[in-house]
Amino acid sequence: MALVRFYNLVLEQIGGDTDFEGRYDQHRLLHAGKVNDSLKAEAPEKSELAFRRYAKAKELFERKVPRVLSKNGIIVGFDFELRSGHLVVSQDPLLEWQLRVRSEQNWGTSAQQVGTTLAEIATYSVFYSDDETILDSVPVWPEDRKGDAKLVGGFSTLVRELTKGLNVRLNAAVSSISLEDAVAVHTVSGATYQGAAVIVTVPLGVLQQKLRFQPPLPKDWYASLQRLQMGDVAKLFIKFKGGLSPISSDTYLLSQVVSHTSRNLLYYCIREVSASMMSPSVTLTCLLSGPSFEEAMQLKQTGKEALLNRVVAELSQMYPQMQPSAVSAVQMRSFSWNPFVLGSWTSGKVGSSSQDFSIFEPRPRLAFAGEHTCRLMYGTVQAAAVSGARSAHEVLAAGVGKLAPNSWPFFRKDLYTLCDELAPGANEHCGLSCQDQWRADLVASLFQSWRGMTKKARRCWSRLGWRPLSWAGQARKPTTSNKDWKELSFAARAAATCLGFTTQSWEASGLPCMKKKPSV
Ligand SMILES: Cc1cc2nc3c(=O)[nH]c(=O)nc-3n(C[C@H](O)[C@H](O)[C@H](O)COP(=O)(O)OP(=O)(O)OC[C@H]3O[C@@H](n4cnc5c(N)ncnc54)[C@H](O)[C@@H]3O)c2cc1C
């Protein structure tokens, strides 16, 4: 926001100005399939589209999750053992849907793949937290919380301002960076650029898969790097023929109830209307991640028609009156396919720690910037901007080049430190940031889908009596799940050990979600 104001750029507000995701009264939640008893009980309106109050559903989630956690013996706010929200919420469609929406829209990947907690999902991230004490402590955020907005002309308008007067070389893909004598950056086409220092701003995926350093950085550095991950998110654009869109004009956000394994495509969509007064047309932009991303990829590979047919089928379920010919075009785009991005945005894998971000602290002649380097705000544009200012400041302050005091407003200490420090006096929110949040001594497979875990882990869980259906919460859990370590047979203990459990971790406080039947 500060950058937008400084460079006189123009923001176009979309979807209202009350909060992130626009106005609550413009949210629609549909339940297209058979309405089960649990949903019926929740549904304020028992019409054909049985459950349509998105805001109400979100509120219920926020009230229910702490209740479910405490029923399972987990103390909200203190217990960070629980990473596998779906095991607790899988018997309540509403909770499951919210968990799915929140984890995938916040981290760009399934809840099972993220080293985070259900309690945290309930309070969302620091950025979207409703905790005013946090917001008040951060100078730029309260202004940002005025609903969704777009930069008129796109983000390139900001990039143009930031690069004015700089010598930018486009189409120069870097393959390696040498720090041996002079700092040298080598490109794939064979060019070399030398300098006094280098700030590496390639995305996390490129850093993990492509860029080489000479001499290589320490092994621990790479271990931390691999514990961070980029999710996969695609945007699905659905264009309607003029006047034939079934989605009412008072809808901004459209969702339908989905489970954690559902491969439905339309579960988080924004309705936009083209600006043209002559022939306004409606586009639905849906974000796909987790199983929906995989499904869309498969459909896309099958052929363009397959994706279109699937979209029409899902819309017809949600809006039975819609004519199939109402959809004029469907297109899908993802940065995961771009070899210079390779993903959506950063999150920590199960087993990672917020300390993993310390690998991006500056080294002599080498600094890092980009959303993935910003411990407190990663995954956002503001993280990229703040980390860029931080690294430029670090490099200049280390004596490379000249740093005139106040030479650029974003070298203000309270701004360029936003990735690392909250304002003095503010309590750190145990959300995405606390040091002890993601302990490394986890049994990683505990938080993975049956298909997603290694063969060895599947074998060991099978020896403990688990099967795909019980793992998905669709069948009775095996008796070993109710036993303390000392009650386990010798063979079961061996299977648990092969999964990485110790007596302590088997008994650890997070395990009741596995050991007791979730009581929602
Ligand atoms: C679908 C989607 C929706 C999003 N929505 C939001 C949102 O609503 N709000 C929000 O704040 N954030 C959002 N984000 C996240 C946000 O876009 C990113 O966090 C941000 O753009 C990251 O900026 P960056 O500078 O770190 O990386 P990038 O913008 O990816 O810049 C990295 C640059 O490095 C270049 N590069 C890569 N490899 C090389 C190489 N070998 N040599 C030279 N150059 C290279 C790339 O071409 C690119 O220009 C969204 C992301 C996605 C995918």
Side-chain angles (χ1 to χ4, degrees):
M1 193 67 186
L3 281 172
V4 168
R5 260 205 315 263
F6 181 73
Y7 290 116
N8 284 325
L9 303 176
V10 184
L11 276 182
E12 179 196 348
Q13 206 122 36
I14 44 174
D17 62 358
T18 50
D19 198 356
F20 157 71
E21 294 181 332
R23 284 168 41 185
Y24 278 168
D25 63 352
Q26 295 194 343
H27 295 176
R28 297 285 170 272
L29 174 64
L30 309 182
H31 188 267
K34 202 166 153 272
V35 183
N36 70 17
D37 288 346
S38 155
L39 262 184
K40 260 190 200 153
E42 305 284 4
E45 301 162 45
K46 295 189 175 71
S47 61
E48 194 173 87
L49 303 175
F51 195 65
R52 64 174 84 184
R53 296 290 305 280
Y54 187 95
K56 181 84 185 153
K58 285 174 70 164
E59 256 177 62
L60 277 169
F61 179 83
E62 259 134 47
R63 280 211 311 271
K64 273 186 148 189
V65 165
R67 230 170 51 212
V68 174
L69 288 177
S70 61
K71 269 193 182 169
N72 283 278
I74 295 155
I75 307 159
V76 183
F78 292 98
D79 197 309
F80 293 107
E81 291 295 315
L82 179 64
R83 320 289 152 111
S84 186
H86 76 276
L87 291 170
V88 169
V89 301
S90 61
Q91 294 183 1
D92 183 319
L94 179 60
L95 295 192
E96 234 196 325
W97 158 78
Q98 258 296 281
L99 175 66
R100 169 111 192 245
V101 167
R102 290 178 184 220
S103 60
E104 292 177 13
Q105 303 309 318
N106 211 17
W107 289 287
T109 187
S110 307
Q112 298 97 292
Q113 311 298 329
V114 196
T116 192
T117 68
L118 191 58
E120 186 198 332
I121 291 172
T123 52
Y124 231 147
S125 72
V126 176
F127 182 63
Y128 296 119
S129 165
D130 287 331
D131 184 340
E132 294 299 331
T133 56
I134 295 169
L135 294 171
D136 289 347
S137 69
V138 183
V140 286
W141 291 354
E143 295 168 347
D144 285 353
R145 288 170 56 86
K146 295 237 171 80
D148 289 346
K150 291 198 284 202
L151 266 183
V152 173
F155 270 122
S156 51
T157 52
L158 177 60
V159 174
R160 260 198 303 277
E161 291 296 336
L162 287 167
T163 52
K164 262 185 191 161
L166 300 181
N167 181 3
V168 177
R169 307 288 168 98
L170 296 174
N171 299 315
V174 176
S175 53
S176 65
I177 293 172
S178 164
L179 299 159
E180 269 160 343
D181 301 317
V183 175
V185 171
H186 308 285
T187 69
V188 288
S189 62
T192 296
Y193 299 96
Q194 290 197 336
V198 58
I199 301 177
V200 180
T201 67
V202 297
L204 180 69
V206 176
L207 207 49
Q208 286 172 327
Q209 296 178 39
K210 292 191 164 178
L211 202 65
R212 284 175 291 116
F213 289 92
Q214 204 50 257
L217 294 171
K219 272 196 177 147
D220 288 358
W221 191 92
Y222 285 102
S224 278
L225 187 72
Q226 296 305 339
R227 280 196 291 271
L228 300 175
Q229 64 186 344
M230 271 192 121
D232 287 309
V233 175
K235 274 190 176 174
L236 182 69
F237 301 95
I238 306 165
K239 198 168 175 197
F240 294 94
K241 285 187 190 142
L244 291 184
S245 157
I247 304 150
S248 62
S249 58
D250 61 355
T251 297
Y252 173 60
L253 190 71
L254 176 69
S255 189
Q256 66 173 312
V257 179
V258 284
S259 72
H260 75 280
T261 51
S262 159
R263 297 175 80 88
N264 278 11
L265 305 182
L266 312 185
Y267 71 100
Y268 193 88
C269 304
I270 304 274
R271 176 186 178 275
E272 289 183 87
V273 184
S274 77
S276 158
M277 293 298 282
M278 296 296 285
S279 59
S281 68
V282 172
T283 304
L284 204 54
T285 303
C286 305
L287 286 171
L288 313 180
S289 184
S292 303
F293 177 85
E294 289 165 23
E295 178 74 356
M297 290 297 289
Q298 274 181 16
L299 288 166
K300 192 169 175 283
Q301 277 154 16
T302 315
K304 220 176 167 189
E305 286 299 301
L307 191 59
L308 174 72
N309 292 342
R310 177 59 176 278
V311 165
V312 170
E314 279 190 34
L315 279 169
S316 305
Q317 261 200 331
M318 293 158 90
Y319 297 99
Q321 326 302 347
M322 187 192 83
Q323 300 168 22
S325 59
V327 178
S328 64
V330 171
Q331 276 201 3
M332 191 164 97
R333 291 277 178 275
S334 174
F335 282 104
S336 297
W337 313 329
N338 183 324
F340 296 106
V341 185
L342 297 173
S344 53
W345 58 85
T346 298
S347 60
K349 275 187 205 165
V350 174
S352 64
S353 143
S354 68
Q355 285 174 10
D356 288 325
F357 286 94
S358 58
I359 58 171
F360 299 119
E361 282 168 10
R363 301 167 160 261
R365 302 180 298 159
L366 171 65
F368 295 90
E371 60 84 16
H372 55 288
T373 67
C374 183
R375 190 170 67 93
L376 290 170
M377 300 193 289
Y378 57 89
T380 62
V381 169
Q382 55 270 33
V386 167
S387 66
R390 175 189 64 184
S391 297
H393 186 272
E394 277 159 358
V395 167
L396 292 172
V400 178
K402 288 200 187 93
L403 179 62
N406 302 324
S407 49
W408 188 49
F410 301 98
F411 284 162
R412 254 176 51 192
K413 190 160 187 282
D414 59 339
L415 290 179
Y416 74 72
T417 53
L418 279 174
C419 287
D420 310 292
E421 297 167 21
L422 291 176
N427 289 327
E428 194 162 347
H429 176 74
C430 270
L432 301 176
S433 51
C434 287
Q435 303 285 324
D436 59 354
Q437 187 193 343
W438 305 324
R439 285 178 36 201
D441 58 352
L442 290 166
V443 176
S445 55
L446 190 54
F447 310 105
Q448 292 166 344
S449 67
W450 190 258
R451 279 175 54 194
M453 64 179 75
T454 62
K455 265 192 193 157
K456 182 182 167 201
R458 260 201 305 270
R459 230 181 9 251
C460 302
W461 282 114
S462 300
R463 280 196 246 136
L464 284 166
W466 290 87
R467 298 290 176 271
L469 279 181
S470 50
W471 193 257
Q474 291 160 6
R476 194 187 293 263
K477 294 179 190 347
T479 52
T480 53
S481 64
N482 297 314
K483 290 188 174 160
D484 290 331
W485 184 262
K486 60 180 180 324
E487 297 163 348
L488 291 176
S489 68
F490 182 76
R493 270 190 221 170
T497 308
C498 114
L499 287 162
F501 281 109
T502 59
T503 317
Q504 290 78 15
S505 60
W506 184 264
E507 305 294 346
S509 55
L511 291 175
C513 74
M514 295 288 297
K515 292 161 79 182
K516 291 181 197 162
K517 186 170 172 284
S519 41
V520 184

